Amino acid sequence: MSVKANVIDISQRSGISTAPLDGSEKVYVRGSRDDIRVPFREIKLTDTPNRTPGLPGTPNAPVLVYDTSGIYTDPLVEIDIEKGLPAIRADWITDRNDTEQLSAFSSQFTRDQDEKAFDIPLFSHRRLPRRAKPGKNVTQMHYARRGIITPEMEYIAIRESMGRAAMHDAGTLPDGNASHITAEYVRQEVAEGRAIIPANINHPEAEPMIIGRNFLVKINANIGNSATTSSIEEEVEKMVWSTRWGGDTVMDLSTGKHIHQTREWIIRNSPVPIGTVPLYQALEKVKGVAEDLSWEVFRDTLIEQAEQGVSYFTIHAGVRLAHIPLSVDRITGIVSRGGSIMAAWCLAHHQESFLYTHFEEICEIMKAYDVSFSLGDGLRPGCQADANDAAQFAELRTLGELTEIAWRHDVQVMVEGPGHVPMHKIKENMDLQLDVCKEAPFYTLGPLVTDIAPGYDHITSGIGAAMIGWFGTAMLCYVTPKEHLGLPNKDDVKTGIITYKIAAHAADLAKGHPGAQVRDDAISKARFEFRWEDQFNLGLDPDTARAFHDETLPQPKAKEAHFCSMCGPKFCSMKISHDVKQAFDEKSAEFKAAGSKIYQEV
Amino acid sequence: MSVKANVIDISQRSGISTAPLDGSEKVYVRGSRDDIRVPFREIKLTDTPNRTPGLPGTPNAPVLVYDTSGIYTDPLVEIDIEKGLPAIRADWITDRNDTEQLSAFSSQFTRDQDEKAFDIPLFSHRRLPRRAKPGKNVTQMHYARRGIITPEMEYIAIRESMGRAAMHDAGTLPDGNASHITAEYVRQEVAEGRAIIPANINHPEAEPMIIGRNFLVKINANIGNSATTSSIEEEVEKMVWSTRWGGDTVMDLSTGKHIHQTREWIIRNSPVPIGTVPLYQALEKVKGVAEDLSWEVFRDTLIEQAEQGVSYFTIHAGVRLAHIPLSVDRITGIVSRGGSIMAAWCLAHHQESFLYTHFEEICEIMKAYDVSFSLGDGLRPGCQADANDAAQFAELRTLGELTEIAWRHDVQVMVEGPGHVPMHKIKENMDLQLDVCKEAPFYTLGPLVTDIAPGYDHITSGIGAAMIGWFGTAMLCYVTPKEHLGLPNKDDVKTGIITYKIAAHAADLAKGHPGAQVRDDAISKARFEFRWEDQFNLGLDPDTARAFHDETLPQPKAKEAHFCSMCGPKFCSMKISHDVKQAFDEKSAEFKAAGSKIYQEV
């Protein structure tokens, strides 16, 4: 049986990457109702060859892995970005009977946009937005605290249980209760604020996922349109490409033209939650003049984006007027865009930040759509010297206060973290965050453990990301090789994502998550048994692994060879090690046959 | 003043990479005698621009960095690989009056080779070997324990003090005693066995360096000729390329043809100590049949290589017969080539390893040339599942015993470590090694913190390397992206080295080494001040940083721009942050002028 039976050629449907990864097949695990169908990537493995030529080998069970790529990698589904993805959560949302579809968009900006003509294609299957009925709170945290297990929670329980690289035995598919990750456990974690489910009711296309330190560590990829006008297809492809390689969420950080229209295309086609920094668009609306920002412009932007379906907002409400003096003697000042914008506003008006003073009103908006907070770290350090300083930690304490305010509204919260931090100062960040933010999930950018490697900051930050993930960070925001230097291209995005999948998985291993090591064990067994194709396919990036192997040994036969180009047959430790094992087994048999005398006589 | 005044065009002299890195100049710091001239790379910086246009800027002191590249990056020196490098240590060695030049090579193999004809060019300026006079011990440890400070130790003290990225003030060059790294301190560390100076008396061309956890963390790059015959020039260039980017030592792991002759070319042209695994060549001599190995063949190989100038030998003497059963139930068995060869030998003969039984005789050879032990970890784990198991730790304890035996001979020792280890099990490795090996330097391969990313194992291992470096590992053996898949090309070697320079430097920062952060601070200041050229040149890889920047903004003016392509001028946090700082300074002035009332009234 060929491992490629269900795999179509790698191809691009109208510029969008589809087709499964090599050796993989999309499978779905059903929950308690028909419309809970949780996707996984099943990696099929070849048999372990029999040492006696001619005899049949021993089958290796396929490995199931968590799959963020949506239906783009399901060859049985036709993709049409003009229509967007199916709204898999639509019934769950309407069944709750606590939301209503509006007859018009609530945001003035959105309504104004609808009057205009654009030189880009518009998404034509746009839905009218939903909002909580008056007096209702529609956050997953609100349900969780009232003891309600939502379909989203059940979906996540299945996804997390099986997605821990569990070996897939076709006969005994767990039903979501096969590990300690039950739907009830998910509910409890969300109720306690230790985890969030970013799931705006206006993004029913998204496949539910959870961010919390007792679940698999997640990664975020940033995308955004650039000055050079790229086509809508390119923008959608950036998102698809990011999720193809493992992005769990995508932040759309666009700052250019047509932000609103581009975002519509992205959200309608995204299988993962989309996050934004609404301040960026608000600043565009006031033509880039920070002091012209106002609560009114910002408020309308929140509503505009909430009604499109953004699932989490970075809000830099922790940059208070009193914190700014703490940052002025730093080597790199304020390196967060949002942070510097708010600092400029505070100083220009000599007033407390409107994000801070209007925080409860923001909560009211969030809970009407179930948008989660990602409390921004506007004062994060931009270099080793500024790490863990007074400005950073003063802001973190404010974020802790804001977390508790949001929780009083049952609004979900995660908290953003640094940045640039040397290894010995990383744990202090995590410990303080857990303490002052009462275990709300931490979401960090790296941190970079040195500043001296521009061009390699996916690596400097991947080191810090793995460590802080182990210490308890729930989601890691990726960094690409172009960080500090320029805009990432498609290869850079992939490199950033794979690096962060490494960091996240290394953290899962170090935390001892049940099942996390199954994939490592499977690939190691394949390696020891010279099952080259399995080794490639079990890797995070089968294409690159295969290409690297073929660079030295391109012949098809080399993929059946019991050695590789590194050492050649004579020096292959794996090959010799097999011989050693066999010799040992024979000695053991002799030993037993001889009456089990002391094996080693000296 | 142009920063490129002393830089000649990047060019290749007869296929060998020469020319300084961009923006850098080779400088030498003199010690107590004229022939102690310690090389550094001085990175020249531009001025901090004055905020008032037209007024002069503020100069930034150049940054001195540790330089492993030898005279290849000194444009004033002519390179001729036919002649080899100057023997800078020759007088120091002869002045000690405890060695003698032999009239012939002691190794039978070497003498046999000299009778043969070869189809490759031979190094024509070969010297006859030196050896300790009868009864003499010529190791740096032997001198150190007798209270002798050698020129090598003084050289290292200067190199380590200044090489901590110290700011270079032309008026106050330290003399080697300006930090706590004095020559006497170096002597003590070597005497105690906490550090080694790999410095074979037959490699007088090498620039002295030290491996110990109270010094800068070092990295090793592996090279080796492959089956496809590469030219001598290519082999030498591999070594030069490795040291150009920061390789502190180079291991020649050749297993193909003409190992002896190629090694001669490499050593005669190498500014860094060369390490080998003599077992590989010994196995070649018995045509690849492990059971045909013998102490006699191995002994002659040690002498052959010692007389050529190899400075450290990996000796897998810890793979004892009794340890082999501990490895048979592993997922990946024995993954060390040396380990698997010795295990095969032990089982075939059902005898204790000849490396173990002849260990004291090996010590006698080592001390006659000052070859250091790198006690091989033949039973290191090859996957996460096998990490920290009984086989690995049984061997480590044996390596501890062997360390003490070597020390009784005043032979220098470092100890090799894993391998594949999840993050939470890394520290146990370091702690146990320090304990059972009595603080002898640890030299690890990674470790890789997950097995699931073939094609990215420089990253999976760079994470573990940074952590174990922080915990106390003295030297990190690099891993390239081709690990597990194929032979690294030149780009892979560079990527591996830069990744490991990141890991080593991150460890130096985390250990709080004095001065280690100077380079981070300088690059961060350059970043904040939009001094793009300085930012590139202060990085580990100026070429890649510049190329990445130019990919998005190729115009020369972009390198003077107060923003970059990532955010553009309107969203540049650095730019806004400068404005914030200025506004704050103005507010502060107002505040003081108004009689210093409470700044923030709310």
Side-chain angles (χ1 to χ4, degrees), chain A residues 424-496:
Chain A
H424 63 302
K425 293 187 176 177
I426 290 176
K427 191 155 189 303
E428 184 183 4
N429 277 273
M430 189 71 233
D431 292 345
L432 185 64
Q433 190 273 342
L434 285 175
D435 178 23
V436 303
C437 300
K438 311 287 183 239
E439 304 190 61
F442 207 22
Y443 167 32
T444 63
L445 180 75
L448 289 71
V449 297
T450 170
D451 306 329
I452 67 168
Y456 298 82
D457 279 331
H458 58 307
I459 299 176
T460 63
S461 69
I463 295 168
M467 291 176 67
I468 207 162
W470 171 27
F471 298 150
T473 290
M475 185 157 79
L476 306 168
C477 183
Y478 90 161
V479 171
T480 79
K482 289 280 170 60
E483 184 76 13
H484 299 119
L485 297 169
L487 293 170
N489 60 28
K490 220 167 158 180
D491 283 343
D492 296 323
V493 166
K494 182 175 167 185
T495 301

Side-chain angles (χ1 to χ4, degrees), chain A residues 322 328 332 334-335 337 383 423 450-452 456 466 482 486 505 520 524 540-541 551 565 571 573 577 600, chain B residues 322 334-335 337 383 423 450-452 456 466 482 486 505 520 524 528 540-541 551 565 571 573 577 581 600:
Chain A
V328 293
T332 54
I334 302 176
V335 295
R337 278 192 249 173
C383 64
M423 282 191 287
T450 170
D451 306 329
I452 67 168
Y456 298 82
K482 289 280 170 60
H505 183 73
D520 297 76
S524 299
L540 289 174
D541 177 2
E551 224 175 87
S565 59
F571 282 91
S573 61
S577 189
Q600 191 198 345
Chain B
I334 302 177
V335 295
R337 277 191 250 171
C383 64
M423 284 192 285
T450 169
D451 306 329
I452 67 168
Y456 299 83
K482 290 278 170 60
H505 182 73
D520 297 77
S524 298
F528 192 61
L540 289 175
D541 178 2
E551 222 174 90
S565 60
F571 281 90
S573 61
S577 189
K581 185 168 161 53
Q600 190 198 346

